[in-house]
Amino acid sequence: MYTITVLFSIRPEHSSEFLQAIVANARTSVAEESGCRQFDVCVSDRNSNDVFLYEVYDSKAAFDAHLASAHFLQFNESTAPWVTAKVIQAFERSYPHSGN
């Protein structure tokens, strides 16, 4: 399994729009991408402008396919001006061993 975490800081005037866009992106990813197993969207209880993503894919190749998808590219382009910071981390599952 291949896990991605993303922490976004969003301009306050675009928080609502961003949340709608990222939820739509998450739903489409899970529904249409066979390698996307989980896509959680979380909002900080301390700062509603901080949005955390937890995404699980079958492999790095499945994540790369996500990055190339039309819905992701549209989301990324339209929301980029609303983002003040973005921290992305990638993790490979080591235990329990998945056999992948």
Side-chain angles (χ1 to χ4, degrees), residues 7-24:
L7 179 58
F8 288 97
S9 293
I10 308 303
R11 296 183 191 286
E13 64 272 21
H14 294 290
S15 286
S16 179
E17 292 169 284
F18 181 86
L19 195 55
Q20 290 174 8
I22 191 59
V23 167

Side-chain angles (χ1 to χ4, degrees), residues 21-87:
I22 191 59
V23 167
N25 182 55
R27 286 181 177 150
T28 302
S29 297
V30 171
E32 296 182 5
E33 298 173 24
S34 62
C36 181
R37 300 292 170 202
Q38 182 174 343
F39 197 129
D40 297 340
V41 178
C42 308
V43 177
S44 171
D45 63 351
R46 292 184 182 176
N47 181 348
S48 62
N49 300 316
D50 289 342
V51 178
F52 177 79
L53 308 182
Y54 181 81
E55 307 171 45
V56 179
Y57 296 87
D58 287 339
S59 63
K60 183 177 184 317
F63 176 65
D64 290 342
H66 166 71
L67 294 179
S69 69
H71 70 92
F72 171 78
L73 293 171
Q74 188 278 326
F75 159 81
N76 198 46
E77 182 179 337
S78 66
T79 63
W82 307 341
V83 176
T84 61
K86 180 165 119 176
V87 177

Side-chain angles (χ1 to χ4, degrees), residues 5 12 53-54 89 93:
T5 64
L53 308 182
Y54 181 81
Q89 292 186 293
R93 183 165 79 177

